[in-house]
Amino acid sequence: MQQVNKMIHARQCKWMLYLLALLMLGAGFTPYQRIFLGLFLGASVSFFSMWLLQRKVRQFTEAVAAHGRIPALGTFSRMAASVLAVMLALRFDAYFHLIAVVIGLAAGYIIIFIDSFFTSLKD
């Protein structure tokens, strides 16, 4: 089970890095720089949130298996990172499109959903 979770985590991280690279290319080579930078900021925070959630879930499952103390899942940290991204977009509105940041914040969850969907199709 642990090996499967590591493979899933690696696959989702790979797709998030591809998405971030694509967004940077969009910011560099299109006239919609503010939108792509907003998407990049939101997706970067989403990537951090996804990584943090996967790490906390791994710790949670290990603690449950060992009958130890169950740690929190880091909800406050993920929310604080999202609020920080929105505050950056509001403060530097010449560089980041606010709606794009909010859409980018959902990127990690969309990647998880799409990965789960395609994995279930393979099985």
Side-chain angles (χ1 to χ4, degrees):
M1 185 67 172
Q2 185 78 354
Q3 201 65 7
V4 173
N5 286 339
K6 285 183 182 179
M7 287 178 12
I8 292 169
H9 174 70
R11 189 172 55 238
Q12 290 171 353
C13 285
K14 177 182 71 170
W15 285 111
M16 280 299 292
L17 290 173
Y18 288 155
L19 175 65
L20 291 173
L22 186 67
L23 292 174
M24 269 290 99
L25 287 173
F29 296 111
T30 66
Y32 307 108
Q33 185 176 16
R34 262 185 78 220
I35 292 173
F36 278 105
L37 286 176
L39 287 169
F40 181 80
L41 175 62
S44 297
V45 171
S46 183
F47 182 44
F48 168 74
S49 295
M50 185 179 72
W51 171 80
L52 186 63
L53 180 64
Q54 289 170 339
R55 187 176 71 119
K56 292 289 188 173
V57 166
R58 189 175 332 117
Q59 290 173 349
F60 182 84
T61 55
E62 289 170 359
V64 168
H67 302 292
R69 180 172 122 26
I70 298 174
L73 292 178
T75 304
F76 181 77
S77 300
R78 294 192 319 269
M79 279 198 249
S82 298
V83 168
L84 179 64
V86 170
M87 287 174 57
L88 280 171
L90 288 172
R91 172 67 176 94
F92 300 106
D93 60 344
Y95 300 104
F96 302 110
H97 191 269
L98 179 63
I99 303 300
V101 171
V102 173
I103 292 170
L105 287 171
Y109 299 105
I110 293 169
I111 294 289
I112 291 170
F113 175 75
I114 291 172
D115 181 58
S116 300
F117 179 73
F118 283 122
T119 302
S120 67
L121 285 179
K122 288 181 183 178
D123 297 336

